[in-house]
Amino acid sequence: MICFDERTGIFHLQGKKTSYLIQKNEQNHLFHLYWGSRLTKRFPDYLLKEIKRASYLADTDHLKEYKLERLPQEYPAFGNSDLRKPAFQLTYQNGTAISDFRYASYEILTEKPRVKELPSLRASEESQTLVLHLVDDYQKVKMRLFYTLYEESDVITRHTELENFGDDRITIDQLNSACVELPSTDFELLHLSGRWACETGIQRTALSQLNYRIESLRGGSSHEHNPFISLVEKGTNETSGKIYSMNLVYSGNFEATVDVDQQEAVRMQIGINSATFGWNLESETVFTTPEAVLVFSEHGLQELTHKYHACYQKHLLAPQFAQEERPVLVNSWEASYFDLKETELLKLAQSSKELGVELFVLDDGWFGKRNDTSSSLGDWFVNKQKFPNGLSSFISKIKAIGLDFGIWVEPEMVSEDSELFRRHPEWCVAVPGRLKSYSRGQWVLDLANEDVQDYLIETMTTLLQTHPIDYVKWDWNRSITEAGSNALAPDQQKEFYHRYILGLYRIVGTLTEKFSKVLFENCAGGGGRNDPGMLYYMPQSWASDDTDAIERLSIQEGTSLIYPPITMGCHVSQVPNHQIGRVTPLQTRGIVAMQGNFGYELDLSKLSAVEQSAIKTQIERYKEIRRTIQLGTLYRLCSPEKQNGKAWQYLHESQVVVSYVQVQARPNLASKRLKLVGLKAEDCYILPNGDKRYGDELMAFGLVIDSVKEDYFSQQWVLEKVEE
């Protein structure tokens, strides 16, 4: 529910467990009063009055002791008496950069307006939107702040619109999606960071008087930092502690900042990265920011995860896939790399079918004259040397075996040795007079160019219309360097990075709408663009190119902190592992891969009879628990081995799935137990050995872990609820 109290000027967004309060004052400035646990219908107009004024700060509007820098502003400007980090920065035709937006009016809408040209959470019967209208009359520019409340999901989204109603151009230097001020520094900054093959590590840093910045400058949301930021109370764990978090629905360069000022107030913001952004806002035009998702948790990381998972599965993912179980797949990459031979691939497909696989994915190397990374990107026609009878013939053979068919593409890239580059060298991202850097032997196509967008839409449409393809793995294997566009005027080059992402969204939006039954998987060298923006169009992501089971423990833990298991690609691969050379047991590789969408990255046709039998059993087990894994509620359990082990639990309807992995064995220890969570005390469960336990027993005493006598040990339990 959203309500407004005329007497106090307070807006109250009231979710299932959360409240968010904004106040306008007599000067028509907007202030952030509160974000936290749900309040009843309260309008605490005394909060601003009780903030003590500080010295050496400027007075605003010539009002003595009216100091904006000391007050918690909702969407602050810079320089108009507040000298802290702003939420936006505009430059006007007279060269100045001082803005003065004042509240003008509000609307409360029963539906959610569309976020123009950008992905966002989908409209719902439970959503209601507050629009706050502000205006700078002198510079003739309007600002609209959007707040959509998903009441049952207990989530708020925010974005901003800027409209130029004057005659002169305005330059947007920065325009964030959300800003929140908190009155205390008793927090830790929690975020997800890493690198290629080591994404989404959970990082925690105690706050001090400092400016903290998490960002991507790589053209995509990046392996380095996920577009997620949160402030957690010190001591926060799975079940206790307050958390304030933001996740940006955007796939390009972003920045998420936390600034602790000299008065120890905390300002947290998220939006497009201002270091690589600029926009010419011409007369009578509007600019719209990406959407930020705001989630508050009163009860630690577990509640935070549950809110994000439920919200994204209900409101972000394409409805036709949100509750659709994902197939067990085999991918040709680690089995064949570029050395694709039709006869060998058919053997792989036949063996995979016999073991229970449901989807065959043909990875890189099927097109143009592609035999390594040096050629053919952009030439999306079949390599007749590898597939003499064409792609359709090969697909028909895969289908005859009884498997669905998927294919790998990397449409945003081009090779110098390609027909496409020879026809259109001007379609590359490039800066005149500068060398184009190679990365993985390829260059980036200029998606800010509408001709390139049209070409890719047409080319991918032809591929998908001509062949019965069920699944597409859409890859993006390099960052953007020497950023520039031949299609943009000199004074528009600063718009390139954002226009690239708008072009990407137009392409994938058109294709996923046109081919709505095709399952698209987002990949960017693994998790280099694993964000809500891509998940809006492609309902699952390849979490990392690192398929080592032990490395995947932390990667998947961080990913699943905010993204649902049904969105996370997790596969069993060869040993020694192709990324780091580790040898882990097949059972452990399987249990770790069963944290999300399950599959294989190895040649199943060349395994021993014993290994094939074990894999057949793995697949049978996964199919028994697939619905619980993909659609159930995830709990991270407290491992008795601390950092030496990881444990997790899924709960759905009458089934509980519990998994445990211990990295190193340790001698001469007492038996360890693993306590479960989230069960009803009086429910009775049957254990794998036939014993029965009640929910309160399983939460109090847990399950006993077998004796650990080898490194990379794993164990999994499937419990079924039964009548007493």
CSV table of all heavy atoms in Angstrom, one decimal, residues 116-168:
chain,number,residue,atom,x,y,z
A,116,LYS,N,11.1,2.6,-20.4
A,116,LYS,CA,11.3,2.7,-21.8
A,116,LYS,C,12.6,2.1,-22.2
A,116,LYS,O,13.7,2.5,-21.7
A,116,LYS,CB,11.2,4.2,-22.2
A,116,LYS,CG,11.3,4.4,-23.7
A,116,LYS,CD,11.2,5.9,-24.1
A,116,LYS,CE,11.3,6.1,-25.6
A,116,LYS,NZ,11.3,7.6,-25.9
A,117,GLU,N,12.6,1.2,-23.2
A,117,GLU,CA,13.8,0.6,-23.8
A,117,GLU,C,14.6,-0.2,-22.9
A,117,GLU,O,15.7,-0.7,-23.3
A,117,GLU,CB,14.7,1.7,-24.5
A,117,GLU,CG,14.0,2.5,-25.6
A,117,GLU,CD,14.9,3.5,-26.2
A,117,GLU,OE1,15.5,4.4,-25.5
A,117,GLU,OE2,15.2,3.4,-27.4
A,118,LEU,N,14.2,-0.5,-21.7
A,118,LEU,CA,15.0,-1.2,-20.7
A,118,LEU,C,14.3,-2.3,-20.1
A,118,LEU,O,13.0,-2.2,-19.9
A,118,LEU,CB,15.5,-0.2,-19.6
A,118,LEU,CG,16.5,0.9,-20.1
A,118,LEU,CD1,16.6,2.0,-19.1
A,118,LEU,CD2,17.9,0.2,-20.3
A,119,PRO,N,15.0,-3.4,-19.7
A,119,PRO,CA,14.3,-4.4,-18.9
A,119,PRO,C,14.0,-3.9,-17.5
A,119,PRO,O,14.6,-3.0,-16.9
A,119,PRO,CB,15.4,-5.5,-18.9
A,119,PRO,CG,16.7,-4.8,-19.0
A,119,PRO,CD,16.4,-3.6,-19.9
A,120,SER,N,13.0,-4.6,-16.9
A,120,SER,CA,12.6,-4.2,-15.5
A,120,SER,C,11.8,-5.3,-14.9
A,120,SER,O,11.4,-6.2,-15.7
A,120,SER,CB,11.8,-2.9,-15.5
A,120,SER,OG,10.6,-3.0,-16.2
A,121,LEU,N,11.5,-5.2,-13.6
A,121,LEU,CA,10.5,-6.2,-13.1
A,121,LEU,C,9.2,-6.0,-13.8
A,121,LEU,O,8.8,-4.8,-14.1
A,121,LEU,CB,10.3,-6.0,-11.6
A,121,LEU,CG,11.6,-6.3,-10.7
A,121,LEU,CD1,11.1,-6.4,-9.2
A,121,LEU,CD2,12.3,-7.5,-11.1
A,122,ARG,N,8.5,-7.0,-14.0
A,122,ARG,CA,7.2,-7.0,-14.8
A,122,ARG,C,6.1,-6.5,-13.9
A,122,ARG,O,6.0,-6.7,-12.7
A,122,ARG,CB,6.9,-8.4,-15.4
A,122,ARG,CG,8.0,-8.9,-16.3
A,122,ARG,CD,7.9,-10.3,-16.7
A,122,ARG,NE,9.1,-10.8,-17.2
A,122,ARG,CZ,9.5,-10.7,-18.5
A,122,ARG,NH1,8.7,-10.2,-19.4
A,122,ARG,NH2,10.7,-11.2,-18.9
A,123,ALA,N,5.1,-5.8,-14.6
A,123,ALA,CA,3.9,-5.4,-13.9
A,123,ALA,C,3.2,-6.5,-13.3
A,123,ALA,O,3.2,-7.7,-13.8
A,123,ALA,CB,3.0,-4.6,-14.8
A,124,SER,N,2.5,-6.3,-12.2
A,124,SER,CA,1.8,-7.3,-11.4
A,124,SER,C,0.6,-6.8,-10.7
A,124,SER,O,0.5,-5.5,-10.4
A,124,SER,CB,2.7,-8.0,-10.4
A,124,SER,OG,2.1,-8.7,-9.5
A,125,GLU,N,-0.4,-7.6,-10.4
A,125,GLU,CA,-1.5,-7.2,-9.6
A,125,GLU,C,-1.1,-6.6,-8.2
A,125,GLU,O,-1.8,-5.8,-7.6
A,125,GLU,CB,-2.5,-8.3,-9.5
A,125,GLU,CG,-3.2,-8.7,-10.8
A,125,GLU,CD,-4.2,-9.8,-10.6
A,125,GLU,OE1,-4.3,-10.3,-9.4
A,125,GLU,OE2,-4.9,-10.2,-11.6
A,126,GLU,N,0.0,-7.1,-7.7
A,126,GLU,CA,0.4,-6.7,-6.4
A,126,GLU,C,1.3,-5.4,-6.4
A,126,GLU,O,1.6,-4.9,-5.4
A,126,GLU,CB,1.3,-7.8,-5.7
A,126,GLU,CG,2.6,-8.1,-6.4
A,126,GLU,CD,3.5,-8.9,-5.5
A,126,GLU,OE1,4.1,-8.3,-4.5
A,126,GLU,OE2,3.6,-10.1,-5.7
A,127,SER,N,1.5,-4.9,-7.6
A,127,SER,CA,2.4,-3.7,-7.7
A,127,SER,C,1.6,-2.4,-7.8
A,127,SER,O,0.5,-2.3,-8.3
A,127,SER,CB,3.3,-3.7,-9.0
A,127,SER,OG,2.5,-3.8,-10.2
A,128,GLN,N,2.1,-1.4,-7.2
A,128,GLN,CA,1.5,0.0,-7.1
A,128,GLN,C,2.7,1.0,-7.2
A,128,GLN,O,3.8,0.7,-6.7
A,128,GLN,CB,0.8,0.2,-5.8
A,128,GLN,CG,-0.1,1.4,-5.7
A,128,GLN,CD,-0.8,1.5,-4.3
A,128,GLN,OE1,-0.4,0.8,-3.4
A,128,GLN,NE2,-1.8,2.3,-4.2
A,129,THR,N,2.5,2.1,-7.9
A,129,THR,CA,3.6,3.0,-8.2
A,129,THR,C,3.4,4.4,-7.7
A,129,THR,O,2.3,5.0,-8.0
A,129,THR,CB,3.9,3.0,-9.7
A,129,THR,OG1,4.2,1.7,-10.2
A,129,THR,CG2,5.1,3.9,-10.0
A,130,LEU,N,4.4,4.9,-7.0
A,130,LEU,CA,4.4,6.3,-6.7
A,130,LEU,C,5.3,7.1,-7.6
A,130,LEU,O,6.5,6.6,-7.8
A,130,LEU,CB,5.0,6.5,-5.2
A,130,LEU,CG,5.3,7.9,-4.8
A,130,LEU,CD1,4.0,8.7,-4.6
A,130,LEU,CD2,6.0,7.9,-3.4
A,131,VAL,N,4.8,8.2,-8.2
A,131,VAL,CA,5.7,9.0,-9.1
A,131,VAL,C,5.7,10.4,-8.4
A,131,VAL,O,4.7,11.0,-8.2
A,131,VAL,CB,5.1,9.1,-10.5
A,131,VAL,CG1,6.0,9.9,-11.4
A,131,VAL,CG2,4.7,7.8,-11.1
A,132,LEU,N,6.9,10.8,-8.1
A,132,LEU,CA,7.2,12.1,-7.6
A,132,LEU,C,7.7,13.1,-8.7
A,132,LEU,O,8.7,12.8,-9.3
A,132,LEU,CB,8.2,12.1,-6.4
A,132,LEU,CG,7.8,11.2,-5.2
A,132,LEU,CD1,8.9,11.2,-4.2
A,132,LEU,CD2,6.5,11.7,-4.6
A,133,HIS,N,7.0,14.1,-8.9
A,133,HIS,CA,7.3,15.1,-10.0
A,133,HIS,C,8.1,16.3,-9.4
A,133,HIS,O,7.6,16.9,-8.4
A,133,HIS,CB,6.1,15.6,-10.7
A,133,HIS,CG,5.3,14.5,-11.4
A,133,HIS,ND1,5.4,14.3,-12.7
A,133,HIS,CD2,4.4,13.7,-10.9
A,133,HIS,CE1,4.6,13.3,-13.1
A,133,HIS,NE2,4.0,12.9,-12.0
A,134,LEU,N,9.3,16.5,-9.9
A,134,LEU,CA,10.1,17.6,-9.5
A,134,LEU,C,10.4,18.5,-10.7
A,134,LEU,O,10.4,18.1,-11.8
A,134,LEU,CB,11.4,17.2,-8.8
A,134,LEU,CG,11.4,16.4,-7.5
A,134,LEU,CD1,11.0,14.9,-7.8
A,134,LEU,CD2,12.7,16.4,-6.8
A,135,VAL,N,10.8,19.8,-10.4
A,135,VAL,CA,11.1,20.7,-11.5
A,135,VAL,C,12.1,21.7,-11.1
A,135,VAL,O,12.2,22.1,-10.0
A,135,VAL,CB,9.8,21.4,-12.0
A,135,VAL,CG1,9.2,22.3,-10.9
A,135,VAL,CG2,10.0,22.2,-13.3
A,136,ASP,N,13.0,22.0,-12.1
A,136,ASP,CA,13.9,23.1,-11.9
A,136,ASP,C,13.4,24.1,-12.9
A,136,ASP,O,13.7,24.0,-14.1
A,136,ASP,CB,15.4,22.7,-12.3
A,136,ASP,CG,16.4,23.8,-12.1
A,136,ASP,OD1,16.0,25.0,-12.2
A,136,ASP,OD2,17.6,23.5,-11.8
A,137,ASP,N,12.7,25.1,-12.4
A,137,ASP,CA,12.0,26.1,-13.3
A,137,ASP,C,13.0,26.9,-14.1
A,137,ASP,O,12.8,27.3,-15.3
A,137,ASP,CB,11.1,27.0,-12.5
A,137,ASP,CG,9.8,26.3,-12.1
A,137,ASP,OD1,9.3,25.5,-12.9
A,137,ASP,OD2,9.3,26.5,-11.0
A,138,TYR,N,14.1,27.3,-13.4
A,138,TYR,CA,15.1,28.2,-14.1
A,138,TYR,C,15.7,27.5,-15.3
A,138,TYR,O,15.8,28.1,-16.4
A,138,TYR,CB,16.2,28.6,-13.1
A,138,TYR,CG,17.2,29.5,-13.7
A,138,TYR,CD1,17.0,30.8,-14.0
A,138,TYR,CD2,18.5,29.0,-14.0
A,138,TYR,CE1,17.9,31.6,-14.5
A,138,TYR,CE2,19.4,29.8,-14.6
A,138,TYR,CZ,19.2,31.1,-14.9
A,138,TYR,OH,20.1,31.9,-15.4
A,139,GLN,N,16.1,26.2,-15.2
A,139,GLN,CA,16.7,25.5,-16.3
A,139,GLN,C,15.7,24.8,-17.2
A,139,GLN,O,16.1,24.1,-18.1
A,139,GLN,CB,17.8,24.5,-15.7
A,139,GLN,CG,18.9,25.2,-15.0
A,139,GLN,CD,19.8,26.0,-15.9
A,139,GLN,OE1,19.6,26.0,-17.2
A,139,GLN,NE2,20.9,26.6,-15.4
A,140,LYS,N,14.5,24.8,-16.8
A,140,LYS,CA,13.4,24.2,-17.6
A,140,LYS,C,13.6,22.7,-17.8
A,140,LYS,O,13.7,22.2,-18.9
A,140,LYS,CB,13.2,24.9,-18.9
A,140,LYS,CG,12.8,26.4,-18.8
A,140,LYS,CD,12.5,27.0,-20.1
A,140,LYS,CE,12.1,28.5,-19.9
A,140,LYS,NZ,11.1,28.8,-18.9
A,141,VAL,N,13.7,22.0,-16.7
A,141,VAL,CA,13.9,20.6,-16.8
A,141,VAL,C,13.1,19.9,-15.6
A,141,VAL,O,13.0,20.4,-14.5
A,141,VAL,CB,15.4,20.2,-16.7
A,141,VAL,CG1,16.0,20.7,-15.4
A,141,VAL,CG2,15.6,18.7,-16.7
A,142,LYS,N,12.4,18.8,-16.0
A,142,LYS,CA,11.6,18.1,-15.1
A,142,LYS,C,12.3,16.8,-14.7
A,142,LYS,O,13.0,16.2,-15.5
A,142,LYS,CB,10.2,17.8,-15.7
A,142,LYS,CG,9.4,19.0,-16.0
A,142,LYS,CD,8.1,18.6,-16.7
A,142,LYS,CE,7.3,19.8,-17.1
A,142,LYS,NZ,6.0,19.4,-17.8
A,143,MET,N,12.0,16.4,-13.5
A,143,MET,CA,12.5,15.1,-13.0
A,143,MET,C,11.4,14.3,-12.4
A,143,MET,O,10.5,14.8,-11.7
A,143,MET,CB,13.6,15.3,-11.9
A,143,MET,CG,14.2,14.0,-11.4
A,143,MET,SD,15.5,14.3,-10.1
A,143,MET,CE,16.8,14.9,-11.1
A,144,ARG,N,11.3,13.0,-12.7
A,144,ARG,CA,10.3,12.1,-12.2
A,144,ARG,C,11.0,10.9,-11.5
A,144,ARG,O,11.8,10.2,-12.1
A,144,ARG,CB,9.4,11.6,-13.3
A,144,ARG,CG,8.5,12.7,-13.8
A,144,ARG,CD,7.5,12.2,-14.9
A,144,ARG,NE,8.2,12.0,-16.2
A,144,ARG,CZ,8.4,12.9,-17.1
A,144,ARG,NH1,8.0,14.1,-16.9
A,144,ARG,NH2,9.0,12.6,-18.2
A,145,LEU,N,10.7,10.8,-10.2
A,145,LEU,CA,11.2,9.7,-9.4
A,145,LEU,C,10.1,8.6,-9.3
A,145,LEU,O,9.0,8.9,-8.8
A,145,LEU,CB,11.6,10.1,-8.0
A,145,LEU,CG,12.7,11.3,-8.0
A,145,LEU,CD1,13.0,11.6,-6.5
A,145,LEU,CD2,13.9,10.9,-8.7
A,146,PHE,N,10.4,7.4,-9.7
A,146,PHE,CA,9.5,6.3,-9.8
A,146,PHE,C,9.8,5.3,-8.6
A,146,PHE,O,10.9,4.9,-8.5
A,146,PHE,CB,9.5,5.6,-11.1
A,146,PHE,CG,8.9,6.4,-12.2
A,146,PHE,CD1,9.7,7.3,-12.9
A,146,PHE,CD2,7.6,6.1,-12.7
A,146,PHE,CE1,9.2,8.1,-13.9
A,146,PHE,CE2,7.1,6.9,-13.8
A,146,PHE,CZ,7.9,7.8,-14.4
A,147,TYR,N,8.8,4.9,-7.9
A,147,TYR,CA,8.9,3.9,-6.8
A,147,TYR,C,7.7,2.9,-7.1
A,147,TYR,O,6.6,3.3,-6.9
A,147,TYR,CB,8.7,4.5,-5.4
A,147,TYR,CG,9.7,5.6,-5.1
A,147,TYR,CD1,9.5,6.9,-5.6
A,147,TYR,CD2,10.7,5.4,-4.2
A,147,TYR,CE1,10.4,7.9,-5.3
A,147,TYR,CE2,11.6,6.4,-3.9
A,147,TYR,CZ,11.4,7.7,-4.5
A,147,TYR,OH,12.3,8.7,-4.1
A,148,THR,N,8.1,1.7,-7.4
A,148,THR,CA,7.1,0.6,-7.5
A,148,THR,C,7.2,-0.3,-6.4
A,148,THR,O,8.2,-0.9,-6.1
A,148,THR,CB,7.2,-0.1,-8.9
A,148,THR,OG1,6.9,0.8,-9.9
A,148,THR,CG2,6.1,-1.2,-8.9
A,149,LEU,N,6.1,-0.5,-5.6
A,149,LEU,CA,6.0,-1.4,-4.5
A,149,LEU,C,5.4,-2.7,-4.9
A,149,LEU,O,4.3,-2.7,-5.4
A,149,LEU,CB,5.2,-0.7,-3.4
A,149,LEU,CG,4.9,-1.6,-2.2
A,149,LEU,CD1,6.1,-2.0,-1.4
A,149,LEU,CD2,3.8,-0.9,-1.3
A,150,TYR,N,6.1,-3.8,-4.7
A,150,TYR,CA,5.5,-5.1,-4.9
A,150,TYR,C,5.2,-5.6,-3.5
A,150,TYR,O,6.1,-6.1,-2.7
A,150,TYR,CB,6.5,-6.1,-5.6
A,150,TYR,CG,6.7,-5.7,-7.0
A,150,TYR,CD1,7.6,-4.7,-7.4
A,150,TYR,CD2,6.0,-6.4,-8.0
A,150,TYR,CE1,7.8,-4.4,-8.7
A,150,TYR,CE2,6.2,-6.1,-9.4
A,150,TYR,CZ,7.1,-5.1,-9.7
A,150,TYR,OH,7.3,-4.7,-11.0
A,151,GLU,N,3.9,-5.4,-3.1
A,151,GLU,CA,3.6,-5.5,-1.7
A,151,GLU,C,3.8,-6.9,-1.1
A,151,GLU,O,4.4,-7.0,0.0
A,151,GLU,CB,2.1,-5.1,-1.5
A,151,GLU,CG,1.7,-5.0,0.0
A,151,GLU,CD,0.4,-4.3,0.2
A,151,GLU,OE1,-0.2,-3.7,-0.8
A,151,GLU,OE2,-0.2,-4.4,1.3
A,152,GLU,N,3.4,-7.9,-1.8
A,152,GLU,CA,3.5,-9.3,-1.2
A,152,GLU,C,5.0,-9.8,-1.3
A,152,GLU,O,5.5,-10.4,-0.4
A,152,GLU,CB,2.6,-10.3,-2.0
A,152,GLU,CG,1.2,-10.2,-1.6
A,152,GLU,CD,1.0,-10.6,-0.1
A,152,GLU,OE1,1.5,-11.6,0.3
A,152,GLU,OE2,0.3,-9.8,0.6
A,153,SER,N,5.7,-9.4,-2.4
A,153,SER,CA,7.1,-9.8,-2.5
A,153,SER,C,8.0,-9.0,-1.6
A,153,SER,O,9.1,-9.3,-1.4
A,153,SER,CB,7.5,-9.6,-4.0
A,153,SER,OG,6.8,-10.4,-4.8
A,154,ASP,N,7.4,-7.8,-1.1
A,154,ASP,CA,8.2,-7.0,-0.1
A,154,ASP,C,9.4,-6.4,-0.8
A,154,ASP,O,10.5,-6.3,-0.2
A,154,ASP,CB,8.6,-7.8,1.1
A,154,ASP,CG,8.5,-7.0,2.4
A,154,ASP,OD1,7.7,-6.0,2.5
A,154,ASP,OD2,9.4,-7.2,3.3
A,155,VAL,N,9.2,-5.9,-2.0
A,155,VAL,CA,10.3,-5.3,-2.8
A,155,VAL,C,9.9,-4.0,-3.4
A,155,VAL,O,8.7,-3.8,-3.7
A,155,VAL,CB,10.7,-6.3,-4.0
A,155,VAL,CG1,11.6,-5.6,-5.0
A,155,VAL,CG2,11.4,-7.5,-3.4
A,156,ILE,N,10.8,-3.1,-3.4
A,156,ILE,CA,10.6,-1.8,-4.1
A,156,ILE,C,11.6,-1.6,-5.2
A,156,ILE,O,12.8,-1.9,-5.1
A,156,ILE,CB,10.8,-0.6,-3.0
A,156,ILE,CG1,9.8,-0.7,-1.9
A,156,ILE,CG2,10.8,0.8,-3.7
A,156,ILE,CD1,10.1,0.2,-0.7
A,157,THR,N,11.1,-1.1,-6.4
A,157,THR,CA,12.0,-0.7,-7.5
A,157,THR,C,12.0,0.8,-7.6
A,157,THR,O,11.0,1.4,-7.4
A,157,THR,CB,11.6,-1.4,-8.8
A,157,THR,OG1,10.3,-0.9,-9.2
A,157,THR,CG2,11.5,-2.9,-8.6
A,158,ARG,N,13.1,1.3,-8.1
A,158,ARG,CA,13.2,2.7,-8.4
A,158,ARG,C,13.9,3.0,-9.7
A,158,ARG,O,14.8,2.2,-10.1
A,158,ARG,CB,14.1,3.4,-7.3
A,158,ARG,CG,13.4,3.5,-5.9
A,158,ARG,CD,14.3,4.2,-4.9
A,158,ARG,NE,14.6,5.6,-5.4
A,158,ARG,CZ,15.3,6.4,-4.6
A,158,ARG,NH1,15.7,6.1,-3.5
A,158,ARG,NH2,15.5,7.7,-5.1
A,159,HIS,N,13.4,4.0,-10.4
A,159,HIS,CA,14.2,4.5,-11.5
A,159,HIS,C,13.8,6.0,-11.7
A,159,HIS,O,12.9,6.5,-11.0
A,159,HIS,CB,13.9,3.8,-12.8
A,159,HIS,CG,12.6,4.0,-13.4
A,159,HIS,ND1,11.4,3.3,-13.1
A,159,HIS,CD2,12.2,4.8,-14.5
A,159,HIS,CE1,10.4,3.8,-13.8
A,159,HIS,NE2,10.8,4.7,-14.6
A,160,THR,N,14.5,6.7,-12.5
A,160,THR,CA,14.4,8.2,-12.7
A,160,THR,C,14.2,8.5,-14.1
A,160,THR,O,14.9,7.9,-15.0
A,160,THR,CB,15.7,8.9,-12.1
A,160,THR,OG1,15.9,8.4,-10.8
A,160,THR,CG2,15.6,10.4,-12.2
A,161,GLU,N,13.4,9.5,-14.4
A,161,GLU,CA,13.3,10.1,-15.7
A,161,GLU,C,13.6,11.6,-15.7
A,161,GLU,O,13.3,12.3,-14.7
A,161,GLU,CB,11.8,10.0,-16.3
A,161,GLU,CG,11.5,8.6,-16.7
A,161,GLU,CD,10.1,8.6,-17.4
A,161,GLU,OE1,9.4,9.6,-17.3
A,161,GLU,OE2,9.7,7.5,-17.9
A,162,LEU,N,14.3,12.1,-16.7
A,162,LEU,CA,14.6,13.5,-16.8
A,162,LEU,C,14.1,14.0,-18.2
A,162,LEU,O,14.3,13.4,-19.2
A,162,LEU,CB,16.1,13.7,-16.8
A,162,LEU,CG,16.7,15.0,-16.4
A,162,LEU,CD1,16.3,15.3,-14.9
A,162,LEU,CD2,18.2,15.1,-16.5
A,163,GLU,N,13.3,15.1,-18.1
A,163,GLU,CA,12.7,15.7,-19.3
A,163,GLU,C,13.1,17.1,-19.5
A,163,GLU,O,13.0,17.9,-18.6
A,163,GLU,CB,11.2,15.6,-19.2
A,163,GLU,CG,10.5,16.2,-20.4
A,163,GLU,CD,9.0,16.2,-20.3
A,163,GLU,OE1,8.4,15.6,-19.3
A,163,GLU,OE2,8.3,16.8,-21.1
A,164,ASN,N,13.6,17.4,-20.7
A,164,ASN,CA,14.0,18.8,-21.0
A,164,ASN,C,12.9,19.5,-21.7
A,164,ASN,O,12.5,19.1,-22.8
A,164,ASN,CB,15.3,18.7,-21.9
A,164,ASN,CG,15.8,20.1,-22.3
A,164,ASN,OD1,15.2,21.1,-22.0
A,164,ASN,ND2,16.9,20.1,-23.1
A,165,PHE,N,12.3,20.5,-21.0
A,165,PHE,CA,11.1,21.2,-21.7
A,165,PHE,C,11.6,22.6,-22.1
A,165,PHE,O,10.7,23.4,-22.5
A,165,PHE,CB,9.9,21.2,-20.8
A,165,PHE,CG,10.0,22.0,-19.5
A,165,PHE,CD1,9.6,23.3,-19.4
A,165,PHE,CD2,10.5,21.4,-18.4
A,165,PHE,CE1,9.7,24.0,-18.3
A,165,PHE,CE2,10.6,22.1,-17.2
A,165,PHE,CZ,10.2,23.4,-17.1
A,166,GLY,N,12.9,22.8,-22.1
A,166,GLY,CA,13.4,24.1,-22.5
A,166,GLY,C,13.9,24.0,-24.0
A,166,GLY,O,13.7,23.0,-24.7
A,167,ASP,N,14.5,25.1,-24.4
A,167,ASP,CA,15.0,25.1,-25.8
A,167,ASP,C,16.4,24.7,-25.9
A,167,ASP,O,16.9,24.3,-27.0
A,167,ASP,CB,14.9,26.6,-26.3
A,167,ASP,CG,13.4,27.1,-26.4
A,167,ASP,OD1,12.6,26.2,-26.6
A,167,ASP,OD2,13.2,28.3,-26.2
A,168,ASP,N,17.2,24.7,-24.9
A,168,ASP,CA,18.6,24.4,-24.9
A,168,ASP,C,18.9,23.0,-24.5
A,168,ASP,O,18.3,22.4,-23.7
A,168,ASP,CB,19.4,25.4,-24.0
A,168,ASP,CG,19.3,26.8,-24.5
A,168,ASP,OD1,19.2,27.1,-25.7
A,168,ASP,OD2,19.3,27.7,-23.6
